[in-house]
């Protein structure tokens, strides 16, 4: 065990039963009571280390049974106590966290405190992404060991603490030490019972091309639950939710965030119990989940990143931005400047050849764009989306030569070269499928669903992953490719593996995700200089799990600047702006038909990892000049957008403009952007908040040269003296003056 002075954040009482996790501004407390039940006592604003078990009101609530250790005490019930690890089938009738079917057919899980250990570093989870230590900052870990009351099952609870970011992580590992096999039918990453507060849940729902719309709902006795059973985290719900105090806003109120570092099926739920305590849970969705654990086998949950802010949503988001940027994102481009890219997808779709691609690249290069990304259609027989997936061999006829030759031509222009793959998929009309039909998920005796006319590869198979690894690395190495866009274009169903034992089929959704992570890990190890951009039909897998491999993710297939405002707004609650893949495209927009000014499209895309998605040969000279200006603007503000602090200046309620702001970490300058989203006759003024400027510094505003103190700007805000027409945008810079 490390020395006490080495451990700053994890405080344990002398009797070893009271645990207080301290971050800069928050505290989390739990206590193993005299019956070894692990009670949740507190998560909120920073407090001392006094035992808060006195906050619990024990009463006989009726129909709330008493465990044997309570003897005649009818007031002690697992059904009413605030717990960290609610069992199942043994007297807590609320939603459980772990469900086990034992060899005798019984369902019971009753975990009791056994011991603890403290580590002076972060914990890793086998085969899964998790927050990692850096030279600048190390986490601390509390490992609590629990044992199941009537079987030889051990549960290890992991609590990680990152003090500076006010982050506490949770994950758990269940080990079967018994002689007989068990079936694990549910195992979440965390559960906690918050005793007295009233909460609202903010979650992010949507659909393909319209992801992460923020919604807010009170948590009452009817359960508020979101999740995905699509095999991916999904466009439909994002694996990140906030429980906030009623009425909390950007700058007021307590908020608890929970963000799952996972890219597959998940559930997040909150519900008040009969005592008005809120049970808050998150983890792998129990639907279609069942892990068979033989003696000696273990199951690890994904990690959940919890964070607390006592002063509203902006602080909470900034804490998530920092922790994800510094302790999830990895690789050569974690901090290195990302190239401004041009992607040919909306310019050509499948209808391209070498000549067209080179022309797009040549024009892009003249305008200052730094990388050409060749999207879908360069391989196998792929003239539309009905065939070819899996045949990762260059179509040399279409490309007029090898990929290395094309890449060389692009590199000679002084540009980087990127390539699209969709490794996890297979078309029935492909050589790969003809050779290995059993590599696709399909349940014997059933015809599998087609989606985009493609099937899903069985990523749980080692041979499938070996094939993909060989193909991807060979192409990347041969052609000296700088960037890969890793796409995934359908939900996963009809899951059945031809190599897994039949009693292991309930493991496949999770093993699929582990397979993807394994392939990503090995691919990146073989190509360490690569910039990987994640994608799943846009933002269908826009989650902290994927961000461990790809520091930017194509945030949505929707490039309409106005729709993007809401998508990027929703994304900003948890994910750093640097992770948002964001492009300027043509108008009328291909997804919505809307026409927006070229300038606005640029200003919206600037709030992300910036690029273009159009044929630059087909735009006017005036627009070409604007591209040059936008490219220059991107360089000017790169440090702000990728490393600065982000502020949402407008919110969920309907208004006729949206605004956001980036502030440099040293508060020397800030960039504020306003987009007019609705227009009326006799227009009312646009007045916006200004945030985050240093109180005692003076700042000049780029609009009218006005100089005021940060304190004044932060409180009085800014009024535009020009009328913005519908969809027009404006950028305002604040610069520190001596
Ligand atoms: C979906 C992606 O989101 C698009 O950008 C594009 O890459 C297509 N797939 C290609 O099939």
């Amino acid at each position: 065990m490390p020395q006490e002075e080495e451990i700053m954040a994890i405080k344990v009482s002398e009797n070893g039963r009271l645990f207080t996790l301290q971050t800069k501004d928050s505290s989390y407390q739990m206590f193993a009571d005299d019956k070894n039940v692990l009670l949740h006592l507190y998560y909120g604003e920073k407090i001392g280390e006094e035992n808060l078990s006195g906050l619990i009101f024990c009463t006989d609530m009726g129909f709330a049974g008493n465990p044997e250790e309570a003897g005649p005490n009818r007031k002690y019930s697992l059904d009413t106590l605030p717990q960290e690890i609610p069992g199942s089938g043994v007297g807590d009738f609320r939603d459980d966290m772990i469900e086990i079917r034992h060899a005798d057919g019984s369902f019971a899980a009753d975990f009791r405190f056994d011991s603890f250990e403290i580590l002076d570093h972060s914990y890793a989870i086998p085969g899964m992404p998790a927050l990692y230590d850096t030279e600048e900052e190390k986490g601390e870990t509390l490992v609590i060991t629990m044992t199941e009351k009537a079987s030889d099952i051990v549960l290890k609870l992991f609590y990680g603490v990152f003090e500076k970011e006010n982050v506490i992580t949770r994950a758990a590992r269940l080990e079967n030490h018994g002689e007989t096999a068990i079936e694990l039918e549910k195992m979440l990453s965390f559960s906690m019972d918050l005793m007295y507060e009233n909460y609202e849940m903010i979650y992010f729902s949507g659909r393909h091309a319209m992801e992460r719309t923020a919604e807010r709902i009170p948590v009452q006795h009817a359960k508020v639950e979101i999740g995905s059973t699509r095999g991916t985290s999904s466009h439909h719900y994002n694996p990140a939710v906030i429980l906030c105090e009623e009425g909390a806003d950007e700058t007021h109120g307590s908020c608890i965030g929970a963000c799952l570092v996972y890219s597959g099926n998940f559930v997040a739920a909150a519900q008040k119990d009969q005592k008005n305590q809120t049970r808050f849970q998150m983890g792998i969705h129990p639907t279609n989940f069942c892990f068979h654990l033989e003696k000696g086998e273990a199951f690890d949950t994904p990690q959940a990143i919890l964070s607390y802010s006592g002063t509203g949503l902006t602080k909470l988001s900034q804490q998530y931005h920092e922790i994800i940027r510094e302790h999830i994102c990895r690789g050569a481009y974690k901090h290195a400047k990302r190239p401004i890219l041009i992607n040919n997808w909306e310019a050509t779709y499948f209808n391209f050849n070498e000549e067209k691609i080179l022309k797009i690249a040549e024009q892009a290069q003249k305008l200052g764009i730094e990388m050409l990304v060749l999207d879908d259609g360069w391989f196998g027989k792929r003239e539309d989306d009905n065939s070819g997936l899996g045949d990762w061999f260059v179509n040399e006829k279409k490309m007029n030569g090898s990929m290395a030759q094309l890449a060389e031509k692009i590199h000679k222009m002084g540009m980087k070269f990127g390539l699209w793959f969709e490794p996890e998929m297979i078309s029935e009309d492909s050589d790969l499928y003809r050779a290995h039909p059993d590599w696709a998920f399909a349940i014997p005796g059933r015809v599998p669903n087609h989606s985009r006319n493609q099937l899903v590869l069985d990523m749980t198979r080692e041979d499938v992953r070996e094939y993909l690894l060989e193909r991807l690395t060979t192409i990347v190495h041969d052609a000296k490719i700088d960037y890969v866009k890793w796409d995934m274009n359908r939900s996963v169903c009809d899951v059945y593996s031809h190599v897994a034992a039949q009693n292991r089929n309930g493991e496949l959704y999770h093993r699929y995700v582990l397979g993807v992570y394994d392939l990503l890990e090995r691919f990146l190890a073989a190509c360490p200089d690569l910039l990987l951009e994640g994608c799943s039909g846009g933002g269908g897998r826009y989650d902290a799990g994927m961000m461990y491999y790809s520091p930017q993710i194509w945030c949505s297939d929707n490039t309409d600047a106005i729709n993007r405002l809401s998508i990027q707004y929703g994304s900003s609650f948890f994910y750093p702006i640097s992770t948002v893949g964001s492009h300027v495209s043509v108008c009328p927009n291909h997804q919505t038909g809307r026409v927006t000014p070229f300038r606005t499209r640029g200003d919206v895309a600037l709030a992300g990892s910036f690029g273009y998605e159009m044929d630059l040969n087909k735009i006017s000279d005036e627009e070409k000049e604007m591209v040059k200006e936008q490219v220059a603007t991107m360089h000017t503000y790169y440090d702000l957008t990728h490393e600065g602090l982000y502020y949402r200046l407008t919110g969920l309620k309907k208004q006729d403009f949206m605004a956001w702001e980036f502030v440099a970490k040293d508060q020397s300058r800030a960039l504020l952007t306003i987009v007019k989203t609705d227009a009326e006759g006799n227009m009312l003024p646009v007045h916006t908040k200004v945030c985050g400027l240093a109180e005692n510094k003076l700042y000049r505003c780029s609009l009218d040269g006005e100089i005021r103190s940060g304190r004044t700007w932060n409180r009085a805000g800014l009024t535009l003296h020009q009328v913005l027409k519908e969809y027009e945008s404006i950028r305002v810079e604040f610069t520190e003056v001596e």
Side-chain angles (χ1 to χ4, degrees):
M1 181 143 323
Q3 296 299 303
E4 201 179 314
E5 56 274 17
E6 291 168 6
I7 296 295
M8 305 299 293
I10 298 169
K11 309 287 180 191
V12 185
S13 62
E14 261 176 35
N15 66 2
R17 302 182 75 85
L18 179 72
F19 304 93
T20 310
L21 312 180
Q22 300 285 26
T23 71
K24 186 162 61 73
D25 310 309
S26 72
S27 304
Y28 186 111
Q29 193 182 76
M30 56 208 151
F31 176 58
D33 72 7
D34 58 355
K35 295 156 189 73
N36 290 321
V37 171
L38 191 60
L39 301 172
H40 176 87
L41 296 181
Y42 183 83
Y43 188 26
E45 197 75 40
K46 189 158 188 171
I47 53 165
E49 278 117 49
E50 303 91 331
N51 188 337
L52 289 178
S53 48
L55 292 179
I56 301 174
F57 173 63
C58 279
T59 179
D60 178 3
M61 299 204 69
F63 290 83
N66 319 110
E68 52 165 338
E69 304 92 329
N73 180 3
R74 294 191 184 189
K75 291 183 179 172
Y76 188 94
S77 174
L78 297 177
D79 196 28
T80 57
L81 286 167
Q83 295 183 62
E84 283 286 296
I85 305 297
S88 75
V90 292
D92 185 344
F93 297 95
R94 297 166 289 182
D95 275 9
D96 51 32
M97 179 176 149
I98 299 172
E99 288 174 15
I100 299 169
R101 182 151 44 93
H102 298 269
D104 64 1
S106 62
F107 288 90
D110 192 352
F111 287 99
R112 300 301 170 96
F113 176 77
D114 179 76
S115 55
F116 74 93
E117 189 188 353
I118 294 177
L119 313 173
D120 61 357
H121 54 82
S122 291
Y123 61 95
I125 306 178
M128 270 188 281
L131 295 183
Y132 63 89
D133 290 337
T134 60
E135 269 178 28
E136 295 76 35
E137 194 194 14
K138 271 170 69 182
E140 294 174 17
T141 304
L142 169 67
V143 188
I144 294 183
T145 300
M146 314 273 292
T147 50
E148 212 281 311
K149 255 184 98 176
S151 61
D152 291 321
I153 300 171
V154 170
L155 179 66
K156 291 215 157 89
L157 306 175
F158 295 89
Y159 294 84
V161 185
F162 280 83
E163 210 189 347
K164 182 162 69 77
E165 294 85 359
N166 294 312
V167 157
I168 288 168
T169 66
R170 284 192 60 181
R173 175 183 178 84
L174 188 130
E175 298 167 352
N176 181 12
H177 294 271
E179 290 305 320
T180 50
I182 57 168
E183 307 297 325
L184 184 60
E185 305 218 329
K186 176 179 178 183
M187 182 153 165
L188 303 181
S189 296
F190 79 85
S191 181
M192 74 174 88
D193 295 328
L194 300 153
M195 262 188 272
Y196 292 114
E197 301 82 351
N198 289 317
Y199 288 103
E200 296 174 338
M201 186 193 273
I202 301 176
Y203 59 92
F204 306 92
S205 68
R207 55 190 186 274
H208 173 232
M210 207 57 229
E211 301 89 338
R212 291 178 296 288
T213 304
E215 292 183 346
R216 186 166 176 157
I217 187 169
V219 176
Q220 297 181 340
H221 294 91
K223 191 169 16 168
V224 182
E225 179 177 307
I226 60 142
S228 165
T229 56
R230 295 169 174 274
T232 58
S233 48
S234 89
H235 304 85
H236 304 76
Y237 294 102
N238 193 266
V241 296
I242 298 167
L243 284 196
C244 61
E245 177 184 336
E246 280 172 320
D249 61 19
E250 292 290 356
T251 47
H252 303 96
S254 59
C255 316
I256 299 173
C259 171
L260 204 61
V261 187
Y262 191 59
S263 312
N265 294 345
F266 78 95
V267 66
Q271 181 176 28
K272 278 191 178 178
D273 66 11
Q274 57 177 335
K275 264 174 97 180
N276 286 347
Q277 300 171 122
T278 299
R279 179 156 286 182
F280 184 27
Q281 304 186 312
M282 195 178 213
I284 293 182
H285 204 298
T287 294
N288 292 328
F289 173 92
C290 181
F291 252 73
H292 178 83
L293 296 181
E294 291 284 344
K295 179 182 180 175
E297 288 187 329
F299 178 81
D300 289 281
T301 71
Q303 183 178 64
I305 308 174
L306 305 172
S307 189
Y308 174 83
S309 156
T311 52
L313 298 161
T314 297
K315 180 165 188 260
L316 187 76
S317 296
Q318 290 177 353
Q319 289 168 181
Y320 275 103
H321 294 177
E322 184 73 7
I323 200 85
I324 291 176
R325 198 165 40 205
E326 297 301 327
H327 297 277
I328 283 282
C329 295
R330 297 180 301 167
Y333 283 89
K334 174 173 173 177
H335 289 296
K337 200 165 174 193
R338 319 260 174 86
I340 297 176
L341 67 85
I342 174 117
N343 179 304
N344 74 303
W345 180 241
E346 286 196 17
T348 65
Y349 295 103
F350 292 102
N351 183 17
F352 61 84
N353 54 24
E354 189 208 27
E355 195 190 339
K356 268 195 195 178
I357 296 300
L358 288 175
K359 270 197 176 152
I360 292 176
E362 271 159 21
Q363 184 57 257
Q365 190 273 340
K366 282 187 204 149
L367 302 179
I369 293 169
E370 299 157 316
M371 178 162 74
L372 182 283
V373 176
L374 179 58
D375 211 282
D376 194 355
W378 55 265
F379 53 92
K381 179 185 143 209
R382 184 77 171 166
E383 295 310 329
D384 54 33
D385 56 12
N386 291 312
S387 62
L389 289 174
D391 294 343
W392 301 111
F393 296 90
V394 182
N395 181 341
E396 296 204 354
K397 195 160 161 242
K398 184 170 180 176
M399 301 316 303
N400 193 33
S402 70
M403 196 54 79
Q405 284 168 321
L406 176 63
E408 200 186 337
K409 289 177 191 163
I410 306 279
H411 284 145
K412 276 204 175 131
M413 292 177 199
M415 295 177 90
K416 292 185 187 299
F417 180 58
L419 198 59
W420 179 95
F421 287 90
E422 191 176 2
E424 299 154 66
M425 295 293 142
I426 183 165
S427 307
E428 278 168 301
D429 184 2
S430 67
D431 292 340
L432 188 72
Y433 187 80
R434 284 181 279 275
H436 301 285
D438 60 321
W439 281 15
F441 276 148
I443 302 172
R446 295 175 197 268
V447 178
N449 279 267
H450 291 76
S451 183
R452 212 189 187 203
N453 208 7
Q454 61 200 48
L455 300 180
V456 182
L457 278 173
D458 179 355
M459 295 295 292
T460 72
R461 289 177 68 142
E462 184 65 33
D463 49 1
V464 168
R465 299 200 299 274
E466 280 304 323
Y467 166 76
L468 293 171
L469 184 64
E470 187 279 326
R471 282 291 78 220
L472 269 94
T473 46
T474 302
I475 293 172
V476 168
H477 287 153
D478 286 357
K480 299 191 176 57
I481 283 166
D482 306 289
Y483 157 113
V484 160
K485 178 175 173 186
W486 183 299
D487 205 348
M488 196 284 191
N489 281 304
R490 62 162 286 181
S491 301
V492 183
C493 59
D494 302 290
V495 161
Y496 180 92
S497 174
H498 292 273
V499 293
Q502 285 185 352
N503 63 352
R504 298 275 183 178
N505 265 266
E507 303 175 13
L508 292 179
Y509 270 106
H510 180 56
R511 289 198 184 280
Y512 178 92
V513 178
L514 294 180
V516 173
Y517 289 157
D518 172 66
L519 178 58
L520 281 162
E521 190 69 44
R522 288 197 283 154
F523 175 49
L524 289 173
C527 309
D529 299 330
L530 200 73
L531 170 58
L532 192 74
E533 176 151 359
C535 176
S536 173
R541 218 162 43 182
Y542 188 81
D543 56 61
M546 287 309 286
M547 286 169 195
Y548 190 69
Y549 307 96
S550 51
Q552 67 189 52
I553 298 181
W554 183 225
C555 167
S556 178
D557 270 352
N558 188 340
T559 57
D560 174 275
I562 301 305
N563 282 177
R564 272 286 180 140
L565 292 175
S566 129
I567 296 167
Q568 294 179 190
Y569 171 82
S571 308
S572 76
F573 280 84
F574 282 88
Y575 306 109
I577 308 311
S578 56
T579 63
V580 174
S582 196
H583 299 170
V584 177
S585 64
V586 291
C587 277
N589 180 268
H590 287 197
Q591 290 79 40
T592 63
R594 195 194 321 255
V595 176
T596 52
F598 201 91
R599 184 188 168 97
T600 304
R601 285 175 260 158
D603 284 345
V604 173
L606 276 171
S609 278
F610 186 73
Y612 290 82
E613 183 133 351
M614 58 170 64
D615 189 342
L616 293 168
N617 297 296
K618 294 187 179 156
I619 62 174
S620 66
D621 288 346
E622 195 191 337
E623 286 173 330
K624 283 181 191 150
E625 286 308 308
M626 274 195 256
V627 172
K628 282 192 201 159
E629 195 225 293
Q630 287 169 348
V631 164
T633 307
M634 181 69 220
H635 289 303
T636 306
Y637 296 119
Y638 187 90
D639 60 329
L640 281 180
T641 58
H642 280 63
E643 310 277 340
L645 292 169
Y646 181 77
Y647 292 86
R648 291 174 293 270
L649 303 181
T650 45
L652 282 176
K653 66 177 193 305
K654 179 138 178 57
Q655 62 232 304
D656 57 8
F657 69 95
M658 279 192 83
W660 62 93
E661 186 187 351
F662 295 98
V663 180
K665 277 198 176 144
D666 65 2
Q667 293 176 300
S668 58
R669 61 180 187 149
L671 173 69
L672 190 155
T673 308
I674 300 169
V675 178
K676 184 87 172 148
T677 50
D678 202 3
E680 289 178 340
N682 216 349
M683 214 86 84
L684 297 172
V686 168
H687 176 82
T688 173
K689 291 193 280 188
V690 176
C691 290
L693 302 184
E695 296 272 296
N696 298 323
K697 288 183 178 176
L698 290 174
Y699 294 90
R700 177 180 292 112
C701 171
S702 64
L703 270 189
D704 47 14
E706 197 79 46
I707 296 176
R708 293 182 193 143
S709 69
R711 182 179 170 77
T712 303
W713 285 118
N714 289 343
R715 281 165 188 72
L718 171 83
T719 300
L720 288 190
H721 287 278
Q722 71 192 80
V723 171
L724 292 182
K725 297 207 185 78
E726 189 177 49
Y727 306 147
E728 274 188 352
S729 64
I730 191 162
R731 288 192 311 270
V732 184
E733 188 177 347
F734 294 91
T735 325
E736 183 187 345
V737 287
E738 296 301 325

